[in-house]
Amino acid sequence: MASSTGHPVSRDIYWKRRAFVFAGVLLVLTLIVWACRPSSEEDGTTRSDASLEEPSPSVPPEEGGATAGPEADPSDGDAEVGDDPEASPSAGEGTGEAVEAGGSGGSGGSGGAEGGSGAGAAAPEKPEDLCRPQDVVVTFDFAKKDKEVYGAGEQPGFEVTVVNTSDQTCTVDVGGEALEVRIHSGDDRIFSTADCAEGESDRRQLERGVPHEITVDWDRTRSFTDCRDDVVNAKPGWYRANLHGGLAGDTSQLVFQIKA
């Protein structure tokens, strides 16, 4: 074999040169491939981004929540203005406001005057003595249990129950002023057992544990503090009744509906 200069070249030198050239080409190709390969950081970022974009098969991308629709009041009748608590008319002219959101119908609660002005009262020693407020338990409920809707001609009725829990028989004023049943439509005061009852009392001697029941029937007319003789009928709609007085405690309000 001859070199480029024309001098003969031995076989060993010839193959060594070929081997060096081949090794150099492989090295260049390796460097090119290594330079074009993405770095581990870029590859990790790409994989991380891809994993964020793909939702996990075990958790749906969006969880749809079922929205519960308004439950129909079982006491609702035909669709009329009076059936909607949000459009509750008051007695007389105009329209009353809606029943307060916190109010609930159904069974009334029980009350008692724990603490307060009567907390330091002396214990009764004879039946004529007044019972201490903390010894009296009062409940307020519909006269007909759980009756919240009254049709034409029906009078809503309420029952006040008073129980003496002390050992001594004692006296409680159960009159309409001391235990006042008050009816509202929105902020409009419609009826009160205290109207025209100022100074009147109904004192009863209560034995221990023996309930005394008072029933109040509302004739669906407005009452007035000045005792006028005007007769103003309450309009169909939703109303609420509350018990007021020193012994009423935290009795619940009663929400009810009257229909034409």
Side-chain angles (χ1 to χ4, degrees), residues 15-249:
W15 286 111
K16 287 180 179 179
R17 288 178 179 177
R18 290 289 183 269
F20 285 137
V21 171
F22 183 71
V25 171
L26 288 179
L27 178 61
V28 171
L29 291 175
T30 302
L31 292 174
I32 292 174
V33 172
W34 183 84
C36 294
R37 184 181 63 84
S39 65
S40 60
E41 181 178 355
E42 293 176 350
D43 184 62
T45 303
T46 304
R47 291 178 181 273
S48 177
D49 294 342
S51 64
L52 290 175
E53 294 174 358
E54 297 179 1
S56 169
S58 62
V59 180
E62 295 182 2
E63 296 183 5
T67 303
E71 296 183 0
D73 190 325
S75 64
D76 284 349
D78 297 334
E80 58 183 18
V81 175
D83 288 332
D84 186 358
E86 296 300 325
S88 173
S90 62
E93 298 181 356
T95 300
E97 297 181 3
V99 174
E100 292 180 352
S104 61
S107 299
S110 62
E114 294 185 3
S117 60
E125 298 179 355
K126 53 184 182 295
E128 294 78 13
D129 293 339
L130 291 177
C131 298
R132 294 183 301 179
Q134 63 265 37
D135 294 334
V136 178
V137 175
V138 178
T139 58
F140 182 55
D141 205 345
F142 292 109
K144 295 182 179 179
K145 301 301 181 185
D146 300 325
K147 183 172 177 59
E148 302 174 3
V149 179
Y150 299 85
E154 286 188 291
Q155 294 185 355
F158 311 97
E159 185 177 82
V160 181
T161 304
V162 185
V163 179
N164 170 26
T165 62
S166 68
D167 295 331
Q168 171 66 49
T169 298
C170 52
T171 299
V172 175
D173 185 357
V174 297
E177 187 176 22
L179 291 173
E180 176 193 4
V181 176
R182 193 182 301 171
I183 297 174
H184 282 82
S185 174
D187 292 332
D188 191 6
R189 179 181 178 276
I190 304 298
F191 172 83
S192 171
T193 57
D195 288 344
C196 302
E198 185 177 357
E200 297 181 5
S201 64
D202 183 6
R203 297 195 172 193
R204 300 298 179 94
Q205 294 182 3
L206 305 184
E207 298 179 3
R208 172 182 172 85
V210 179
H212 179 78
E213 297 178 350
I214 309 105
T215 300
V216 177
D217 293 319
W218 180 40
D219 61 1
R220 300 168 65 142
T221 62
R222 181 188 288 272
S223 66
F224 301 94
T225 56
D226 59 3
C227 306
R228 72 183 74 169
D229 293 331
D230 297 350
V231 178
V232 181
N233 293 317
K235 292 183 178 181
W238 288 90
Y239 295 82
R240 70 180 192 274
N242 295 85
L243 185 65
H244 297 265
L247 300 177

